[in-house]
Amino acid sequence: MPSKTKAMKDLLIFAVKFIYGFLEALFHWVVPKPKKNVAGEIVLVTGSGSGIGRLLALRFAHLGAILVLWDINPEGNQETCDLARKAGASRVYTYICNCSERQDIYRVAAQVKKEVGDVTILINNAGIVTGKYLLEIPDECVEKTFDVNSKAHIWTYKAFLPAMITNNHGHLVCISSSAGLLGTSRLSDYCASKFAALGFAESLCFELFAQGYTGIKSTIVCPFFIKTGMFEGCITENPLLLPILEPNYVADKITNAILEEQVYLFMPRFLYFALFLKSFLPVNAALALCEYMKVFEVMNCFTGRLKKE
Ligand SMILES: NC(=O)c1ccc[n+]([C@@H]2O[C@H](COP(=O)([O-])OP(=O)(O)OC[C@H]3O[C@@H](n4cnc5c(N)ncnc54)[C@H](O)[C@@H]3O)[C@@H](O)[C@H]2O)c1
């Protein structure tokens, strides 16, 4: 019967692709993937005025990319621009963009398309945190956290994806967080915004695959705390399993993941296991483990950037 033959054929194709997927991953565990060449690519980094955004800009400057730097802080962004030029970038364009405002994103995106060209690597990195118990967070702060940490990703995709689709070429990078994988205390709005960013980036990754745009890659990054100042004061009681990460280490790992077109990057590796535990542990057992590891205490001494100013 033709339908039976088709079902068998579909099953066979699925089995071959499924096994190939495993073998390919195993192979690349041993032999690293070849790195793509990003010289001449137009790389946009949001939140490039400090921290991880700045370090990523410097990595891509070194790799010969054309840089488009967006930040709300013009001084920090200019410093990144100067450093990027020193690191070898010949074309660096800075823009003041308030990523919490959709219209500002669309306005600056139109300017970039006119003055620089079509962005081919989009790194959504700008982020903010309030770091309080939910009932202490002013509503405007909750809204702003979502505007910068998640909604800005949607507007930047809408601005730059059409050209990527036309050329079936591009790379979409979402800087989410370990807080986008596992909810925790005193970070409710931040966690929710990072879950949203991850969910959006993952959905678009699959949507583009389903539409056949295999030339547009996605990378979703979930780091634990990094020593950039954003989470100043935070501590870890488990420096072996959950160390506070060095910014340069994080920037190197993200750059490598982009060059190797890796979809998920969680840092440290323990996060992969933590996510696996979450998928099957009874809630009370998971809570006992969190208490034992003092997970709910990491924000107790948080000061962050806002309180210092
Ligand atoms: N630092 C950490 O511990 C940590 C951990 C996990 C994930 N992350 C994420 O990594 C990313 C980078 O964090 P970081 O540690 O480098 O932070 P950072 O504070 O050093 O840098 C954030 C940058 O975003 C810019 N920015 C803030 N609001 C903006 C807005 N409305 N429009 C445009 N730019 C704006 C800031 O000016 C700053 O230059 C963020 O998305 C953050 O949520 C950070």
Side-chain angles (χ1 to χ4, degrees):
M1 252 161 79
S3 60
K4 238 185 181 176
T5 320
K6 187 176 177 309
M8 284 301 290
K9 195 177 145 202
D10 287 350
L11 185 65
L12 193 69
I13 291 171
F14 155 71
V16 169
K17 283 185 178 175
F18 192 78
I19 293 166
Y20 177 79
F22 267 99
L23 292 178
E24 189 190 29
L26 267 178
F27 177 73
H28 287 307
W29 201 312
V30 185
V31 182
K33 277 187 186 169
K35 294 185 180 17
K36 69 176 170 190
N37 181 4
V38 293
E41 299 284 344
I42 301 181
V43 180
L44 164 57
V45 185
T46 71
S48 49
S50 69
I52 296 306
R54 170 174 292 173
L55 294 177
L56 288 176
L58 299 185
R59 298 298 183 280
F60 281 93
H62 189 68
L63 292 165
I66 299 163
L67 294 178
V68 178
L69 307 178
W70 284 14
D71 206 288
I72 198 169
N73 168 7
E75 292 84 24
N77 217 19
Q78 188 54 47
E79 265 178 47
T80 305
C81 172
D82 296 342
L83 290 167
R85 290 218 166 96
K86 273 191 204 146
S90 53
R91 291 176 66 191
V92 189
Y93 301 83
T94 56
Y95 294 88
I96 301 170
C97 180
N98 183 351
C99 290
S100 70
E101 307 240 336
R102 176 165 51 94
Q103 291 311 338
D104 209 37
I105 290 175
Y106 285 157
R107 179 186 63 77
V108 182
Q111 212 182 329
V112 169
K113 284 184 229 173
K114 210 167 135 201
E115 295 172 357
V116 190
D118 292 325
V119 167
T120 52
I121 301 181
L122 168 62
I123 305 179
N124 268 308
N125 163 78
I128 53 170
V129 62
T130 310
K132 294 181 178 166
Y133 292 111
L134 177 66
L135 299 184
E136 294 169 359
I137 310 174
D139 292 354
E140 315 81 74
C141 290
V142 174
E143 277 172 348
K144 198 155 215 163
T145 297
F146 274 89
D147 288 339
V148 179
N149 294 3
S150 14
K151 283 156 82 178
H153 297 207
I154 303 177
W155 316 136
T156 52
Y157 272 47
K158 284 202 149 199
F160 297 113
L161 191 55
M164 293 188 192
I165 284 178
T166 304
N167 303 315
N168 190 22
H169 174 76
H171 203 132
L172 301 158
V173 182
C174 164
I175 309 296
S176 177
S177 168
S178 55
L181 300 168
L182 308 155
T184 192
S185 173
R186 287 180 66 171
L187 281 174
S188 54
D189 59 339
Y190 182 79
C191 285
S193 72
K194 290 295 183 179
F195 268 74
L198 186 146
F200 171 70
E202 187 171 73
S203 301
L204 253 295
C205 173
F206 296 160
E207 185 168 301
L208 291 165
F209 171 81
Q211 290 177 305
Y213 296 115
T214 50
I216 306 173
K217 309 296 175 185
S218 296
T219 296
I220 301 168
V221 182
C222 298
F224 186 61
F225 293 138
I226 315 162
K227 291 178 199 163
T228 57
M230 184 182 189
F231 280 90
E232 195 66 45
C234 289
I235 44 150
T236 177
E237 294 286 339
N238 305 279
L240 281 181
L241 292 179
L242 288 172
I244 302 209
L245 302 164
E246 292 296 334
N248 276 311
Y249 168 81
V250 173
D252 284 341
K253 294 289 276 185
I254 297 173
T255 307
N256 199 56
I258 297 170
L259 298 181
E260 292 187 3
E261 299 180 338
Q262 182 181 335
V263 177
Y264 297 104
L265 172 65
F266 303 166
M267 287 169 280
R269 278 185 178 275
F270 178 71
L271 288 179
Y272 294 97
F273 184 61
L275 200 61
F276 173 64
L277 286 180
K278 181 183 160 181
S279 68
F280 72 90
L281 275 186
V283 174
N284 284 338
L287 287 174
L289 184 64
C290 288
E291 274 180 338
Y292 176 70
M293 293 184 72
K294 298 193 168 46
V295 169
F296 302 135
E297 291 170 31
V298 292
M299 291 292 289
N300 282 1
C301 301
F302 168 80
T303 54
R305 288 198 189 287
L306 294 177
K307 284 189 180 170
K308 281 199 302 180
E309 279 158 13

